[in-house]
Amino acid sequence: MNAEVKSGQNQATLELQNVSRSYGDEWSQEHIIADFSLTVESNKLTVLVGPSGCGKSTLVNLIAGFDKPDSGKILLNGKQVTGPGQDRMVVFQETALMPWQTTRQNVVFGPKLRGERSDADIDAEANRLLDKVGLAEFKDKYPIQLSGGMQRRAELARAMINHPLIMIMDEPFRGLDAMSRELMQEFFVRLYEENRRTNLFVTSEIEEAIFLADRLVVLSNRPTSVRKVIDITLPRPRDFHMLSSTEAYEYKREAMELLHEEAMRSFNRASGSGLMDAIAGGGGGD
Amino acid sequence: MTLYRFKKALSTPTPYLMFFGIALWLGCYYLFVEGWQLPRFNKLPGPVEVITEWLNPNPDWGMSLFTPIYYEHTLVSCRRILIAFAIATGVGVPLGLFMGWSKTFRDYSFPILETLRPIPILAWVPLAILMFSGLETPVIYLATLASLFVTTLNTLLGVDSIDEEYFRAARCLGAKPHHVFMHVVIPGALPFIFTGLQISIGVAWFSLVAAEMVSGEFGLGYLIVDAYMNVTYVIMVIGMLTLGFVGWFSAALVRIAGNRMMEWRVRALALEGR
């Protein structure tokens, strides 16, 4: 185990080199990810956006080490990823807090198991983090007793206490109502701007993507690869007003057009006709 | 606190409905047997007769709440259940957990479990008598066996029911396999385990009584058959009702133990208004 790295200064570059993954038997293989190459730059917030069902979660599983690529390499700071580890923390789509542990027990779970630090140290940091995510009063509640937004914040705290090199967020705000979602986005962007930890954020919402991202990666349809990388140069700290600027509008238009093309391609392939092309001719790419 | 809970319980319809249900049942029983004396029920003792005898300090048929022999039968059965249930739980829960956790272990143990499980417990009686000497061990063996299958299978299903995300989250947080077992597999399977234990204690009673009817000289099952043979039908009904009460009580104990161990689940159910 590496010596503890001070948060905010940790350099972490994640490289995906020609990664491919397919499922199924030899005679009916489905290629989910093909020849995927991307460098997730250190201390930046990289957002992956793609049509739903395009294999984003498969990608997350590969990076997290739950799954292995058929070919290609995944390197974190030059070292190949071979399995799950606390240098890459995943915040899951639906909450994965252990329902049988209180909020505080959930947060201290990882560090206490590994026993790299003293319990007093862990408890102190847990309290600080819970305070920070606004759950100090809820630390002895069970996850089921928290609202959706609180659960996501608890999960953020559970990830952050491990000082990961990179945070991987797999559509973390999915399933929240519009209001909580907006609040969580604002909260999350503040958190990121505080220490600029390398972050890979996966979403299917374009506005969310533009609001958060330093770099926006638009994914192609299945088999998934990188369609285009757009650098988002909106100033930081971000706030929601920026989304109505012309600059943001341009990003949005560009991303929408790319995604629309990709979605259309899959629709046509699925329905086996060019029907949607005719419809798209009029109203597409708004 | 207790008083408050009691008062609160009285403000809900539950206790009144319970009371009404019991009254309705007793009323029908009384009318069929003692009131109208329907032909089908003419050999059975009525509720008045049974309750009078049950509470009689000098019982006409030699058994009531005031005679030591009544407690002896009840206690013998309870002790057997306690031993059988303890063994079945002690073996069945770990067995089920390992079967759910390790694919290899499951692959070679599951077919055996599934073959033995459908064999009715009464079919095991001769084998039990051949294998164990005396009267006590075969009876306990049969009760253990019946509840073991239920416990093992439910525990196994409990492990299967755990969402894959929890395993992933734990591994991501650096949990070793034994940590996963302790902190994900066991707590995650607990709700199913306790559902299984409630069924298994019922099954244990069921097979115990069956075994006591076949062999034995004590216990509630023996008491019921013996009373039937001796045409002391009042005692037979007392034995049956006693069985009902101790069965209910033992299931309640399992439920209480479960709620104690799964506070998170109690809160979850409370939020759903249950």
Side-chain angles (χ1 to χ4, degrees):
Chain A
M1 203 49 55
N2 297 335
E4 202 185 316
V5 191
K6 279 263 183 313
S7 61
Q9 303 172 351
N10 40 358
Q11 296 282 314
T13 309
L14 181 77
E15 280 172 275
L16 291 103
Q17 299 173 347
N18 313 96
V19 172
S20 298
R21 182 78 176 99
S22 47
Y23 290 112
D25 305 305
E26 279 169 45
W27 55 88
S28 64
Q29 274 215 331
E30 190 163 1
H31 299 279
I32 309 289
I33 292 165
D35 205 19
F36 191 103
S37 295
L38 175 72
T39 303
V40 178
E41 289 174 12
S42 185
N43 307 94
K44 287 207 171 150
L45 208 169
T46 304
V47 177
L48 301 184
V49 62
S52 61
C54 77
K56 297 188 291 267
S57 288
T58 308
L59 204 57
V60 168
N61 286 341
L62 290 172
I63 298 169
F66 300 136
D67 193 6
K68 288 193 169 62
D70 299 329
S71 63
K73 274 186 194 164
I74 300 173
L75 306 167
L76 179 60
N77 285 347
K79 248 177 63 191
Q80 189 151 1
V81 166
T82 50
Q86 68 268 18
D87 49 356
R88 288 151 286 134
M89 274 296 142
V90 183
V91 175
F92 293 89
Q93 231 169 58
E94 306 291 328
T95 178
L97 295 167
M98 312 281 175
W100 42 84
Q101 296 178 345
T102 62
T103 311
R104 202 188 55 77
Q105 287 170 332
N106 262 295
V107 172
V108 300
F109 182 71
K112 287 229 165 141
L113 282 186
R114 301 195 301 272
E116 300 148 359
R117 299 189 263 161
S118 72
D119 280 7
D121 188 25
I122 297 167
D123 287 331
E125 186 172 6
N127 284 335
R128 214 177 58 236
L129 279 171
L130 283 167
D131 230 5
K132 188 175 205 161
V133 299
L135 291 175
E137 287 167 48
F138 296 89
K139 60 179 174 222
D140 292 318
K141 300 269 184 212
Y142 289 94
I144 190 85
Q145 297 170 291
L146 307 179
S147 70
M150 287 177 181
Q151 290 177 356
R152 304 307 150 92
R153 278 181 277 151
E155 206 154 351
L156 280 174
R158 180 172 77 169
M160 288 190 297
I161 199 168
N162 299 288
H163 307 288
L165 290 173
I166 178 170
M167 294 265 272
I168 304 159
M169 320 275 290
D170 185 9
E171 300 196 45
F173 306 144
R174 193 159 107 167
L176 293 179
D177 60 275
M179 193 64 211
S180 331
R181 188 167 186 145
E182 212 162 274
L183 289 173
M184 277 308 291
Q185 288 165 353
E186 241 172 349
F187 177 78
F188 176 71
V189 94
R190 285 296 92 78
L191 212 58
Y192 167 72
E193 281 161 1
E194 236 170 64
N195 62 20
R196 309 264 169 143
R197 191 194 306 280
T198 313
N199 207 307
L200 184 67
F201 193 105
V202 176
T203 183
S204 50
E205 294 264 315
I206 295 179
E207 292 218 349
E208 178 170 275
I210 293 169
F211 177 60
L212 300 173
D214 290 318
R215 295 175 80 222
L216 179 65
V217 179
V218 181
L219 301 177
S220 76
N221 217 299
R222 271 195 202 182
T224 304
S225 58
V226 176
R227 177 70 198 263
K228 189 169 187 196
V229 180
I230 306 170
D231 282 304
I232 307 282
T233 52
L234 296 173
R236 288 193 187 272
R238 297 271 168 91
D239 75 66
F240 274 111
H241 298 297
M242 293 174 187
L243 279 180
S244 39
S245 68
T246 7
E247 211 182 343
Y249 179 79
E250 278 306 310
Y251 291 135
K252 191 177 162 187
R253 197 185 51 79
E254 188 180 357
M256 285 282 257
E257 256 165 37
L258 292 169
L259 283 174
H260 196 85
E261 269 173 42
E262 289 301 325
M264 205 58 66
R265 198 177 296 169
S266 83
F267 193 95
N268 280 339
R269 199 171 41 196
S271 64
S273 76
L275 176 69
M276 281 309 280
D277 279 336
I279 301 169
D286 50 333
Chain B
M1 191 66 189
T2 324
L3 191 72
Y4 169 78
R5 283 214 182 126
F6 185 67
K7 268 193 179 159
K8 200 173 171 198
L10 282 183
S11 69
T12 67
T14 314
Y16 306 105
L17 287 174
M18 268 165 67
F19 181 77
F20 181 72
I22 294 168
L24 189 72
W25 184 80
L26 274 179
C28 289
Y29 180 22
Y30 173 77
L31 283 176
F32 290 164
V33 180
E34 288 174 344
W36 299 328
Q37 304 195 347
L38 299 179
R40 184 174 296 281
F41 300 101
N42 61 7
K43 289 207 189 74
L44 301 187
V48 176
E49 198 185 348
V50 169
I51 290 168
T52 324
E53 176 75 0
W54 209 353
L55 300 173
N56 192 350
N58 300 301
D60 302 334
W61 306 99
M63 185 170 301
S64 76
L65 281 177
F66 297 92
T67 58
I69 188 75
Y70 173 73
Y71 295 101
E72 196 163 340
H73 283 300
T74 312
L75 279 177
V76 164
S77 284
C78 285
R79 208 193 64 211
R80 286 169 178 165
I81 283 293
L82 198 68
I83 297 170
F85 184 70
I87 298 174
T89 308
V91 177
V93 171
L95 195 65
L97 287 173
F98 279 115
M99 282 173 76
W101 187 48
S102 152
K103 176 107 174 53
T104 326
F105 184 60
R106 181 192 194 138
D107 281 347
Y108 73 82
S109 56
F110 193 63
I112 306 171
L113 179 79
E114 280 303 277
T115 317
L116 296 183
R117 203 167 59 88
I119 302 175
I121 212 65
L122 280 175
W124 288 92
V125 170
L127 193 124
I129 293 169
L130 286 175
M131 272 169 67
F132 298 101
S133 57
L135 293 170
E136 200 66 11
T137 12
V139 173
I140 292 174
Y141 171 75
L142 290 171
T144 308
L145 203 61
S147 91
L148 178 69
F149 291 137
V150 177
T151 306
T152 309
L153 190 68
N154 267 280
T155 307
L156 171 64
L157 294 177
V159 180
D160 279 352
S161 77
I162 304 170
D163 204 327
E164 180 63 28
E165 300 252 292
Y166 300 132
F167 288 100
R168 288 188 169 165
R171 280 162 60 206
C172 189
L173 289 163
K176 299 262 181 335
H178 69 275
H179 293 135
V180 174
F181 189 74
M182 290 302 291
H183 297 286
V184 180
V185 174
I186 294 180
L190 269 189
F192 270 68
I193 293 178
F194 272 94
T195 311
L197 289 183
Q198 283 207 51
I199 303 169
S200 105
I201 202 157
V203 171
W205 275 109
F206 171 84
S207 41
L208 176 88
V209 169
E212 283 176 345
M213 285 181 163
V214 178
S215 72
E217 47 185 346
F218 277 111
L220 291 167
Y222 168 79
L223 176 71
I224 291 166
V225 172
D226 189 54
Y228 169 70
M229 303 283 199
N230 293 327
V231 208
T232 50
Y233 298 142
V234 176
I235 292 181
M236 186 184 83
V237 176
I238 291 178
M240 288 169 68
L241 288 175
T242 308
L243 210 48
F245 282 121
V246 288
W248 181 21
F249 184 68
S250 59
L253 282 182
V254 173
R255 199 154 43 231
I256 290 166
N259 288 346
R260 285 237 154 163
M261 286 179 75
M262 298 182 291
E263 211 189 328
W264 59 277
R265 186 143 172 97
V266 176
R267 305 230 176 136
L269 292 177
L271 279 180
E272 287 165 22
R274 282 196 265 162

